[in-house]
Amino acid sequence: MKPSILAAIFQFPVNQGDLVQNLNIIYHGLKHQKADLIVLPELSTTGYFLNKVQWTHFSDPNSWVDAIDFFTELAKVCSSHLCITLPKMIHQKLYNIGYLINEKGIVGAQAKIHITDDERRFFSANPVKRIEAIQTDFGKIGILSCFDLWDSALLRQVKAEEMDLICSPCSFGSDMTPFIAKSRSLEFSTPLVLCNRTGSEIFENEMVEFVGMSSIWDADGNVLAQAQSEEVFLSAELLLPNKSALPFCQELALEMDWN
């Protein structure tokens, strides 16, 4: 395990239902960037508020394979691990699945556990209420997509499994989730890399705005990099201490009953 990594986010305005344009933005936004880990917004290839026909198209096996191939090649170009989410149909149910991808392909996957009322119209929640540890050459990674961050029980799993870093692809429109994320990194002494999107989408004849505010926090809850509402690539050197103690509490895991 490396003592530190260069972690990054790429925040940009995702185009609703425009796969080609979104992939073009992602490719040109990342092709000259280098980092050990880059996190992208939730559903960054498709957008968030789509109809049944669109979700069926974007989640079919051919579209899914094409997307995985695209990100595998991009990971090779960037010499990086990429954290993304994609829609995937499994046994006639649609899931929002987070993937960690390197130049060889999928390193690990995590289906979203908690879904919002809007998502529930098309998506199914992960029936397995656990966060899987994804092993990399720089430590164990956990993927918590957006609303999953609001469940502290999932973070207790992250700590019990001794994960070194949390990746959080997001699509949110208020400033609440960054506050939750900061508190999680501090409460569970775990670095957290969150990437939200910007821009807007039409939902039920109304314009919905996404606020950005992508951030990288260290294990003490300190902000190492933070975006506003602009399109931006940000990176920060992130220590991976896997902290199990504090100066005033040497048996932190035991005291907090994380195990």
Side-chain angles (χ1 to χ4, degrees):
M1 174 181 147
K2 296 182 180 179
S4 68
I5 64 167
L6 186 62
I9 58 92
F10 180 45
Q11 173 180 287
F12 68 97
V14 179
N15 293 276
Q16 187 174 14
D18 195 336
L19 176 68
V20 173
Q21 180 64 7
N22 290 327
L23 293 180
N24 184 60
I25 292 172
I26 292 168
Y27 180 79
H28 288 285
L30 297 186
K31 65 179 181 178
H32 297 305
Q33 304 291 351
K34 299 295 179 183
D36 296 299
L37 171 71
I38 303 172
V39 182
L40 294 176
E42 183 180 25
L43 298 172
S44 58
T45 64
T46 58
Y48 189 74
F49 294 114
L50 305 185
N51 59 42
K52 183 176 181 179
V53 172
Q54 290 172 307
W55 283 128
T56 300
H57 171 67
F58 290 134
S59 63
D60 73 37
N62 290 333
S63 295
W64 182 85
V65 168
D66 288 345
I68 295 297
D69 288 346
F70 169 85
F71 285 109
T72 300
E73 183 60 31
L74 185 56
K76 186 183 303 182
V77 171
C78 300
S79 300
S80 181
H81 287 71
L82 304 179
C83 182
I84 63 167
T85 74
L86 294 172
K88 186 177 184 182
M89 194 73 71
I90 302 175
H91 301 310
Q92 305 304 311
K93 290 185 177 181
L94 181 63
Y95 295 94
N96 181 356
I97 303 181
Y99 294 96
L100 191 68
I101 295 176
N102 65 11
E103 74 281 356
K104 295 180 180 179
I106 297 172
V107 180
Q110 175 69 54
K112 191 173 183 178
I113 293 171
H114 297 296
I115 58 178
T116 66
D117 292 341
D118 292 332
E119 293 169 345
R120 200 173 299 279
R121 298 180 308 149
F122 301 111
F123 285 94
S124 294
N126 183 353
V128 180
K129 308 299 185 185
R130 291 201 61 82
I131 300 298
E132 299 295 329
I134 301 172
Q135 187 67 57
T136 72
D137 57 359
F138 51 79
K140 294 181 182 179
I141 305 298
I143 300 176
L144 281 80
S145 296
C146 208
F147 194 24
D148 283 350
L149 282 173
W150 288 61
D151 184 355
S152 62
L154 297 182
L155 276 295
R156 297 177 78 85
Q157 293 176 26
V158 166
K159 201 63 183 180
E161 294 288 335
E162 298 183 342
M163 298 184 207
D164 302 293
L165 175 66
I166 299 166
C167 296
S168 187
C170 292
S171 289
F172 55 79
S174 79
D175 61 0
M176 290 300 296
T177 296
F179 287 108
I180 296 288
K182 175 182 172 67
S183 68
R184 297 293 183 242
S185 65
L186 175 59
E187 179 183 6
F188 294 95
S189 300
T190 305
L192 197 155
V193 183
L194 178 153
C195 188
N196 190 30
R197 53 167 293 185
T198 61
S200 60
E201 292 191 18
I202 297 173
F203 176 61
E204 295 183 344
N205 298 317
E206 293 186 5
M207 195 68 73
V208 177
E209 300 290 336
F210 297 87
V211 298
M213 301 179 68
S214 302
S215 303
I216 301 172
W217 293 273
D218 68 12
D220 294 317
N222 298 311
V223 177
L224 303 183
Q226 188 169 56
Q228 299 303 315
S229 59
E230 73 280 17
E231 178 178 324
V232 66
F233 180 92
L234 291 177
S235 63
E237 194 72 24
L238 193 58
L239 294 175
L240 302 178
N242 191 18
K243 294 173 65 174
S244 60
L246 293 173
F248 52 84
C249 181
Q250 292 304 304
E251 298 293 339
L252 185 62
L254 180 63
E255 181 65 28
M256 295 297 178
D257 192 27
W258 283 328
N259 296 308

